Amino acid sequence: MIRVFTSARILDTGRGTDDATRVVDILVDGMKISRIAGHVDPPMGASVVDASRYLVTPGFVNAHGHLAMTLLRGLADEVSLDVWLHDYMFPRETLMNGDDIYYGSLLALAEGIMSGTTTFAEMYFFEDDVARAVNEAGVRANLSTGTASLDNERGKLEKSEEFVVRWNNKADGRIRTSFGPHAPYTASPEFIRENFERARDLGVIVQFHLHETRKEIEEFTATYGASPISYYADRGYFENPPRLLAAHCVHMTARDAEILRDAGASIALNVQSNLKLGSGIADYRLLLGSGVNLCVGTDGAASNDNLDMLEELRVLGLLMKGSTMDASGISNASLLAMATANGGRALGFDDVGTLSEGAAADLVFWDLEDESFCPRNNVVSHLLWSANSRAVDSVMVAGSWVMEHRQLLGIDIDKVRFEVARRARRLASG
Amino acid sequence: MIRVFTSARILDTGRGTDDATRVVDILVDGMKISRIAGHVDPPMGASVVDASRYLVTPGFVNAHGHLAMTLLRGLADEVSLDVWLHDYMFPRETLMNGDDIYYGSLLALAEGIMSGTTTFAEMYFFEDDVARAVNEAGVRANLSTGTASLDNERGKLEKSEEFVVRWNNKADGRIRTSFGPHAPYTASPEFIRENFERARDLGVIVQFHLHETRKEIEEFTATYGASPISYYADRGYFENPPRLLAAHCVHMTARDAEILRDAGASIALNVQSNLKLGSGIADYRLLLGSGVNLCVGTDGAASNDNLDMLEELRVLGLLMKGSTMDASGISNASLLAMATANGGRALGFDDVGTLSEGAAADLVFWDLEDESFCPRNNVVSHLLWSANSRAVDSVMVAGSWVMEHRQLLGIDIDKVRFEVARRARRLASG
């Protein structure tokens, strides 16, 4: 399929250097953007669409989350991470089956698409069912099985690896896979190291939670004599590491940040989850100055409580400015890059998150007639600080529509809502 | 007009005591809620509407803002308050005429209605034109003329007072008026005191900016030897004061909070504006424990950059939990009360912001079929932490629809967008 979008106002959030938008024609050939120019002559048989009403951006890359946690949305709003996890999440997660995960993931993907996300990081379980959902929904994702060493299940790492091999680069390359050792408080250092090694051997990334709360660091330090990052570094885990994606990193020293930077790691910031669970506020001056590749995730819907990346990005930007008392500390362009190109890089999709020739045709069409873009003083500013998902008109992934004029195409949303509702009732009743 | 809404799920955010919702019939007679019960027999001639699809809440009360600043949205994102005000806002404000203010205000009111707000605090200029907009839009508002003593215009206070008298309790009581001495850095202490006195004499409130930035307090202290609140208190301004509504109050000591509490003042928190302009993060442990009536405002769209109260409330709640590292420090019910009943009280509308018999029929109908409410584990939690304005279906003020099934009724939004766009172009070009 060849499509030409004419007179589209585009914003290449991947550049991160300035705020300018341009009005251009875009030629999408198959799964890629093949040409962007002031005028494109439509090839024979191309479908030509007037896009003058829209701001076209790369889709958001949600760099950390647990899709099927939509099932557990709203179960506990006023508790800290450890209570939330042990008293509310873990007990219900043991009751979940593969179909629960499938439908919960589809709801998450629908929410993501409706708010402009085209690529998802995922760490949960029954990942074959997640892969099935991602494949059908038509989106892009990097999937991992969340694994812990501190429980009784045997062979977890082997199963995780089998999943990695089974699904990597499937669904026309829309699915990548990764290892997902859960966190320093559920996975032993030795288990973390083994995950790093297998990931390096297979050329995939490792997703894990890191330095999320003070309690995590204090308890780890009490046992091992150093913080998780220091301990792993001192034992050489970061020498010749695989591509690492560390989620959270709320509590960091300058040395921690240097270690991650030198390891080429990315950090997925999850500001709403961290605030809501009382985990704290990161030192953004440190993180922004560290040179680490910063990206943005929503975390699961049970702690956020939605998968709206624009909302997440706005809160992150506000907090960066407010907590440092420096309104100029972060530019609009840098923030938008964090939610797009930086995330693509972190998840191993290097052609994702930018709007340029040869890049993936993962596009969001924002309706500039929405009141949030009025008056058009600065469209980039309005997108970042004023608009919300109401303005998302259409979404394309790898050259195919996943939502067209607010109608989801790959997901039967009525069925998904019905299934999620009845499954959530079962889980909530214990 | 008499209406009965049957089988509505309602949430009386005015109670602030628990999270329960009930399914009831609601009888609206004229401008008031006249009965709420498990079953209501429709009076002869009543219009009966099946509301089983909706969560019905009181409309939000936006307790601080400058409506027509929609015209200046997105002009400066990366500057501090003083630069933003002196270099970007003031120069353009001098170019505005009454019709600019009228159309800019209508756009703000439309945005507010579309995101569930029914009552607005306002401080700007050409307030007769704002009153015209409020009257036509059908909403409720407390309007003040922002006045400074540190400029050259004479008779400002007298004009402000004439406006107060001219419009108070007009538009079937939907419009209240107030005095609006701008801020400690633009209005002398003596001018502030005069405003307090006249407001007390006329029985209206005073809206003003207070303790917004460290710079404000430092410069005031350099001149007067104490912070604004201390200085005003030491000179007796808070003895027998009028009803006071102080906006911002980001930088407060325990004594400052006590003074405001003892004066019966309300504080309108504007967290997104304060973060975006780098003004800082309030000490929420102090504020929440102070006993002051806390309410929520968006501030103007030039620093927020929209008028979405649910977004504002969510960021406030997140920040309260995150900055104190205490997820249990604020309940869902208390947050929702801040954005409704507390605001009504602060603005002098004591029957607004609660959903009870005899209260104003200011109602928002949230579509429970929206994905953000799926699965329905806890509807109150989903409203506060998951939903956005996409779920606002219909809005009623004083018993009349201002938006019905997403169609604005009192505002010709296409005309408003056209007028705002061309006026903003004129202002932006200087």
Side-chain angles (χ1 to χ4, degrees):
Chain A
M1 183 86 190
I2 301 179
R3 288 191 175 87
V4 178
F5 299 102
T6 61
S7 304
R9 183 170 291 276
I10 66 162
L11 170 65
D12 183 4
T13 57
R15 288 177 308 164
T17 46
D18 72 35
D19 281 355
T21 60
R22 292 183 292 151
V23 175
V24 296
D25 294 351
I26 309 169
L27 177 65
V28 171
D29 189 351
M31 298 191 284
K32 301 272 185 192
I33 298 168
S34 72
R35 187 148 162 67
I36 295 175
H39 175 75
V40 171
D41 280 318
M44 190 94 80
S47 157
V48 179
V49 179
D50 174 9
S52 59
R53 183 185 173 118
Y54 303 107
L55 173 69
V56 182
T57 66
F60 289 126
V61 178
N62 187 339
H64 181 69
H66 316 281
L67 294 171
M69 289 190 97
T70 49
L71 290 159
L72 307 177
R73 195 196 322 261
L75 284 184
D77 289 328
E78 291 151 24
V79 297
S80 62
L81 176 70
D82 57 326
V83 175
W84 175 85
L85 203 54
H86 288 96
D87 293 2
Y88 293 89
M89 300 298 120
F90 287 163
R92 283 164 182 89
E93 288 173 351
T94 62
L95 303 174
M96 290 184 191
N97 60 44
D99 281 343
D100 295 337
I101 297 289
Y102 168 75
Y103 285 109
S105 297
L106 280 176
L107 178 61
L109 297 174
E111 284 186 55
I113 293 167
M114 290 166 69
S115 48
T117 298
T118 53
T119 300
F120 300 80
E122 148 77 1
M123 177 204 289
Y124 216 40
F125 48 99
F126 292 114
E127 286 300 312
D128 289 289
D129 297 288
V130 181
R132 184 159 59 102
V134 168
N135 188 28
E136 290 174 19
V139 297
R140 207 178 287 279
N142 191 316
L143 308 178
S144 69
T145 307
T147 44
S149 63
L150 309 180
D151 61 21
N152 294 320
E153 195 185 330
R154 285 163 187 274
K156 273 206 159 180
L157 187 54
E158 288 66 32
K159 284 183 192 164
S160 173
E161 179 164 336
E162 285 161 23
F163 171 78
V164 164
V165 172
R166 188 158 58 243
W167 279 97
N168 202 24
N169 287 312
K170 291 299 191 299
D172 292 326
R174 286 186 287 108
I175 293 180
R176 298 270 162 88
T177 53
S178 49
F179 285 85
H182 178 259
Y185 55 90
T186 49
S188 67
E190 179 57 24
F191 186 77
I192 297 270
R193 193 193 53 73
E194 277 189 75
N195 274 270
F196 281 21
E197 278 184 12
R198 296 197 187 202
R200 188 172 54 230
D201 292 347
L202 291 168
V204 299
I205 72 168
V206 175
Q207 305 186 43
F208 60 141
H209 300 83
L210 195 63
H211 285 218
E212 183 172 358
T213 64
R214 277 197 196 142
K215 184 176 155 77
E216 167 196 330
I217 295 170
E218 285 165 6
E219 291 184 355
F220 191 99
T221 302
T223 306
Y224 296 102
S227 75
I229 293 177
S230 286
Y231 186 89
Y232 302 157
D234 293 344
R235 265 147 203 81
Y237 294 8
F238 294 121
E239 289 159 19
N240 190 24
R243 209 190 294 216
L244 299 175
L245 174 54
H248 302 296
C249 296
V250 180
H251 300 282
M252 299 279 284
T253 65
R255 178 167 182 254
D256 293 337
E258 274 168 27
I259 290 168
L260 293 191
R261 180 201 59 205
D262 293 345
S266 298
I267 295 177
L269 301 167
N270 301 265
V271 62
Q272 291 192 90
S273 172
N274 300 145
L275 291 170
K276 186 157 180 251
L277 293 166
S279 302
I281 298 174
D283 179 347
Y284 290 112
R285 218 181 282 275
L286 170 70
L287 291 180
L288 288 168
S290 69
V292 176
N293 181 48
L294 299 179
C295 43
V296 181
T298 58
D299 210 348
S303 61
N304 180 305
D305 290 353
N306 58 40
L307 287 95
D308 188 325
M309 278 287 288
L310 183 56
E311 182 183 307
E312 187 73 29
L313 185 61
R314 187 171 301 160
V315 176
L316 175 63
L318 289 172
L319 204 63
M320 284 177 164
K321 291 165 183 266
S323 67
T324 59
M325 297 185 71
D326 179 4
S328 65
I330 180 78
S331 70
N332 291 348
S334 298
L335 275 168
L336 286 163
M338 288 182 196
T340 52
N342 294 15
R345 200 175 315 137
L347 291 177
F349 293 109
D350 290 329
D351 62 343
V352 159
T354 170
L355 216 157
S356 55
E357 294 179 359
D362 295 5
L363 307 176
V364 179
F365 292 72
W366 300 86
D367 184 0
L368 288 170
E369 300 294 310
D370 188 89
E371 284 68 21
S372 52
F373 288 97
C374 179
R376 289 193 209 167
N377 286 326
N378 178 339
V379 168
V380 182
S381 168
H382 303 333
L383 172 66
L384 182 52
W385 301 112
S386 170
N388 74 7
S389 64
R390 215 174 53 201
V392 176
D393 181 273
S394 299
V395 180
M396 168 173 278
V397 180
S400 297
W401 293 119
V402 292
M403 184 169 84
E404 197 173 5
H405 304 316
R406 299 189 168 80
Q407 296 299 310
L408 292 167
L409 297 176
I411 298 174
D412 179 347
I413 190 64
D414 290 331
K415 182 174 184 192
V416 168
R417 285 199 290 127
F418 174 81
E419 288 288 344
V420 167
R422 76 181 185 89
R423 291 163 191 279
R425 277 195 299 275
R426 193 192 85 236
L427 296 171
S429 65
Chain B
M1 182 88 191
I2 301 180
R3 288 191 176 86
V4 179
F5 298 103
T6 61
S7 306
R9 183 171 290 276
I10 65 162
L11 170 64
D12 182 4
T13 56
R15 289 177 308 164
T17 47
D18 72 35
D19 281 356
T21 60
R22 293 183 290 150
V23 175
V24 296
D25 293 352
I26 308 170
L27 176 66
V28 172
D29 188 353
M31 298 192 284
K32 301 273 184 191
I33 298 169
S34 71
R35 187 147 161 67
I36 296 175
H39 175 75
V40 171
D41 280 318
M44 189 94 80
S47 157
V48 179
V49 179
D50 173 11
S52 59
R53 184 186 172 117
Y54 303 108
L55 173 69
V56 182
T57 67
F60 289 126
V61 177
N62 186 339
H64 181 69
H66 316 281
L67 293 170
M69 289 189 96
T70 49
L71 290 158
L72 308 177
R73 194 194 326 260
L75 283 184
D77 290 327
E78 290 151 24
V79 297
S80 62
L81 176 71
D82 57 325
V83 176
W84 175 85
L85 204 55
H86 288 97
D87 293 3
Y88 293 89
M89 300 299 120
F90 288 164
R92 282 163 183 90
E93 287 173 351
T94 62
L95 303 174
M96 290 185 191
N97 60 44
D99 281 343
D100 295 338
I101 295 290
Y102 169 73
Y103 286 108
S105 297
L106 281 176
L107 178 62
L109 297 174
E111 284 186 55
I113 293 166
M114 292 166 68
S115 48
T117 298
T118 53
T119 301
F120 300 80
E122 148 77 2
M123 177 204 289
Y124 216 41
F125 47 98
F126 291 114
E127 286 300 312
D128 289 289
D129 296 289
V130 181
R132 185 159 59 103
V134 168
N135 187 28
E136 289 174 20
V139 296
R140 207 179 289 279
N142 190 317
L143 309 178
S144 68
T145 308
T147 45
S149 63
L150 309 180
D151 61 22
N152 294 319
E153 194 185 329
R154 285 163 187 272
K156 272 206 159 179
L157 188 53
E158 288 66 32
K159 285 182 192 165
S160 175
E161 180 166 333
E162 285 162 23
F163 171 77
V164 164
V165 172
R166 188 158 57 244
W167 280 96
N168 202 24
N169 288 312
K170 292 298 191 301
D172 293 325
R174 287 187 286 105
I175 293 181
R176 298 269 162 89
T177 54
S178 49
F179 285 85
H182 178 260
Y185 55 89
T186 49
S188 67
E190 178 59 21
F191 187 76
I192 297 270
R193 193 192 54 73
E194 278 188 74
N195 274 269
F196 281 20
E197 279 184 12
R198 295 195 187 204
R200 189 172 52 228
D201 292 346
L202 290 168
V204 300
I205 73 168
V206 175
Q207 305 186 44
F208 61 140
H209 300 82
L210 195 63
H211 285 218
E212 182 171 358
T213 63
R214 275 197 198 145
K215 184 176 156 77
E216 167 197 331
I217 295 171
E218 286 164 5
E219 292 184 354
F220 190 99
T221 303
T223 306
Y224 297 101
S227 75
I229 294 177
S230 287
Y231 185 89
Y232 302 157
D234 293 344
R235 264 148 204 79
Y237 296 8
F238 293 122
E239 289 159 20
N240 189 23
R243 209 188 295 214
L244 299 175
L245 174 54
H248 302 296
C249 296
V250 179
H251 300 283
M252 299 280 284
T253 65
R255 176 163 184 257
D256 293 335
E258 275 168 28
I259 290 168
L260 292 190
R261 180 200 58 205
D262 293 345
S266 298
I267 295 176
L269 301 167
N270 301 267
V271 62
Q272 291 192 91
S273 172
N274 301 146
L275 291 169
K276 186 157 182 252
L277 292 166
S279 302
I281 297 174
D283 179 346
Y284 290 112
R285 218 180 282 274
L286 171 69
L287 291 180
L288 288 169
S290 69
V292 176
N293 181 49
L294 299 178
C295 43
V296 182
T298 58
D299 211 349
S303 60
N304 180 306
D305 288 356
N306 59 38
L307 287 95
D308 188 325
M309 278 289 288
L310 183 56
E311 182 183 307
E312 188 73 28
L313 184 61
R314 187 171 301 160
V315 175
L316 175 63
L318 289 171
L319 204 62
M320 283 178 166
K321 292 165 183 267
S323 67
T324 59
M325 297 185 71
D326 179 4
S328 65
I330 180 79
S331 69
N332 291 348
S334 297
L335 276 168
L336 286 163
M338 287 183 198
T340 52
N342 295 15
R345 201 175 315 139
L347 290 177
F349 293 108
D350 291 329
D351 62 342
V352 159
T354 171
L355 216 156
S356 55
E357 294 179 358
D362 294 7
L363 307 176
V364 179
F365 292 72
W366 301 87
D367 186 359
L368 287 169
E369 300 294 309
D370 188 89
E371 285 68 20
S372 53
F373 288 97
C374 179
R376 288 194 210 168
N377 286 325
N378 178 339
V379 168
V380 182
S381 168
H382 304 333
L383 172 66
L384 183 53
W385 301 111
S386 170
N388 74 7
S389 64
R390 216 174 53 199
V392 177
D393 181 274
S394 299
V395 180
M396 169 174 278
V397 180
S400 297
W401 293 118
V402 292
M403 184 170 84
E404 196 171 6
H405 303 316
R406 298 187 170 79
Q407 295 300 309
L408 292 167
L409 297 176
I411 299 173
D412 179 345
I413 190 64
D414 290 332
K415 181 173 185 194
V416 168
R417 286 199 289 127
F418 174 80
E419 288 288 343
V420 167
R422 76 182 184 90
R423 289 163 192 279
R425 277 195 300 275
R426 193 192 85 235
L427 296 172
S429 66

